[in-house]
Amino acid sequence: SREYASNFARTVFTIADADSKSGTFIESASNQLSVSRVMANGQRVKLRVQTLQAYPDGGFDIIMRVLRVGAATKVRSFAELGYAPHHIEMLDVMLSTPSGMVIIAGTTGSGKSTTLQSMTKVVSDANPHIKMISVEDPPEYILANVTQIPVVRRQDDKERSPFARTMRDTMRADPDVIIVGEVRDPESAECLVAIVQSGHKVLTTIHAENAFSIISRLGKMNVDELTLSTRGFISGLIYQKLVPVLCTHCKVPYSPELIQDRGLVARIKE
C-alpha cells in the first residue's frame, strides 16, 4: 500500500548511512541512499536504495540492490565468463598496452564488476610487480595485489566530490594501473581524462546501451571529441550483456507452437 511504502521509505532514510543522505526526508523528491550492515555470518553487505514518487496518486517505487562488500570469490577467466576466443584475443590486446583506458559498458547487474575483477587478475598475472590502485563505491570484490580504496559519493557535496578527490589522490601514489569502479559524473570523467593523459592505465565501467554509446556518454560528461580521438587514449570499448542459460532439467526442444510472441518466432527464423 501507499502508506506502507511511505513508511518504508522514511525508515530506510532514517537508518541510511549518514554520508549518503543530506537534510531531512522529502517524500516528493528522488532519494538515493545506501545502508551498510554486517550480517550474522560476518559478511558485510551494502544496500543501494532509490525511492521515487509515482504519478498520479503519490505512490512509491522503491528499488534496493544488495551488494556483498569485499566478497572473496574465485576469479573466473574470460572463457568462463562466456567470452568467445576472438573476443579474448581482443581483450588481451586492450590490457597489454601500458597506458590508455579500457571501459566496460552494460546495464545494472550485467556483470561489469565481475569482468573488471577478471581483467585485474589478467593484468596482475602478466605484471606481478606493478602497482594497482582501485577507487570504488563500494568495493564489491577483494582484488588480489590491488590497493582498494572505498569511497562514498556524497549527495550534498556536489562541488567537492570525495570520489573525484580520491581519484586525484591516486595519481600522487605512483600507480601503474588505476581501477575506477564507475564513471558517472562530469567531475569523475574529468579526473579520468587527467589520469589517462598522465600516462596511466585505467580500467573502469560505465552505464551505456552499447559500445558506441560509451563515446556519447563521455561526451555528455564534458569529455571532448578531440581528447577521445587522441591516439592511445582509448585502449578498448566493451559492451556486455547477460544471456539466459537454459535449465538442464526443464528445457524442451524448440517448437514455434510453444511461443506466444509471434515477433520472437520471426526473429528466431531470421
Side-chain angles (χ1 to χ4, degrees), residues 1-269:
S1 66
R2 189 217 179 283
E3 291 73 24
Y4 179 87
S6 177
N7 290 334
F8 190 91
R10 290 177 183 275
T11 300
V12 171
F13 186 89
T14 301
I15 67 173
D17 302 333
D19 51 13
S20 72
K21 61 184 178 180
S22 61
T24 58
F25 179 77
I26 301 175
E27 195 169 85
S28 60
S30 170
N31 293 281
Q32 297 179 14
L33 310 163
S34 67
V35 181
S36 302
R37 289 291 185 273
V38 178
M39 307 298 286
N41 62 1
Q43 173 64 58
R44 294 176 59 231
V45 298
K46 184 171 185 176
L47 299 180
R48 280 186 178 169
V49 185
Q50 171 86 48
T51 69
L52 300 168
Q53 191 175 53
Y55 176 86
D57 59 357
F60 271 91
D61 190 69
I62 303 176
I63 307 96
M64 295 198 302
R65 185 180 178 204
V66 183
L67 301 175
R68 293 187 300 163
V69 180
T73 59
K74 176 183 178 295
V75 182
R76 285 174 283 183
S77 67
F78 293 137
E80 290 174 316
L81 293 178
Y83 278 91
H86 66 284
H87 287 146
I88 296 174
E89 291 179 7
M90 296 166 68
L91 289 170
D92 289 338
V93 172
M94 294 177 192
L95 297 174
S96 65
T97 58
S99 61
M101 182 164 52
V102 177
I103 309 176
I104 309 170
T107 57
T108 300
S110 60
K112 298 186 296 296
S113 296
T114 302
T115 301
L116 196 62
Q117 181 194 32
S118 299
M119 284 185 171
T120 302
K121 186 177 187 305
V122 169
V123 174
S124 177
D125 289 348
N127 308 276
H129 302 297
I130 66 173
K131 183 175 183 179
M132 296 191 288
I133 299 178
S134 75
V135 182
E136 304 167 80
D137 174 30
E140 293 187 38
Y141 297 106
I142 296 174
L143 303 177
N145 304 320
V146 178
T147 301
Q148 294 181 258
I149 305 174
V151 185
V152 174
R153 301 175 192 256
R154 293 180 61 93
Q155 293 191 43
D156 60 343
D157 199 7
K158 303 294 185 181
E159 298 302 321
R160 293 171 296 171
S161 165
F163 196 87
R165 185 169 61 246
T166 304
M167 289 175 63
R168 294 190 188 96
D169 291 343
T170 60
M171 287 191 286
R172 294 190 287 271
D174 192 30
D176 298 294
V177 179
I178 297 177
I179 299 110
V180 179
E182 180 188 346
V183 54
R184 66 170 78 166
D185 55 65
E187 191 170 4
S188 58
E190 178 185 350
C191 292
L192 207 65
V193 170
I195 291 171
V196 177
Q197 290 180 334
S198 63
H200 295 91
K201 185 75 175 180
V202 175
L203 310 178
T204 189
T205 72
I206 197 170
H207 282 102
E209 60 187 5
N210 55 59
F212 296 108
S213 295
I214 296 174
I215 300 299
S216 58
R217 282 278 289 151
L218 290 173
K220 291 177 181 178
M221 296 181 195
N222 301 327
V223 182
D224 61 81
E225 294 181 359
L226 181 61
T227 298
L228 291 171
S229 61
T230 301
R231 182 178 178 85
F233 183 81
I234 293 176
S235 296
L237 303 177
I238 303 162
Y239 175 80
Q240 72 175 38
K241 183 177 182 179
L242 297 184
V243 178
V245 177
L246 295 178
C247 174
T248 56
H249 303 290
C250 61
K251 65 182 179 181
V252 296
Y254 166 74
S255 172
E257 289 72 25
L258 296 175
I259 303 176
Q260 300 294 325
D261 186 346
R262 295 296 93 188
L264 175 59
V265 173
R267 292 197 297 275
I268 293 174
K269 290 181 178 179

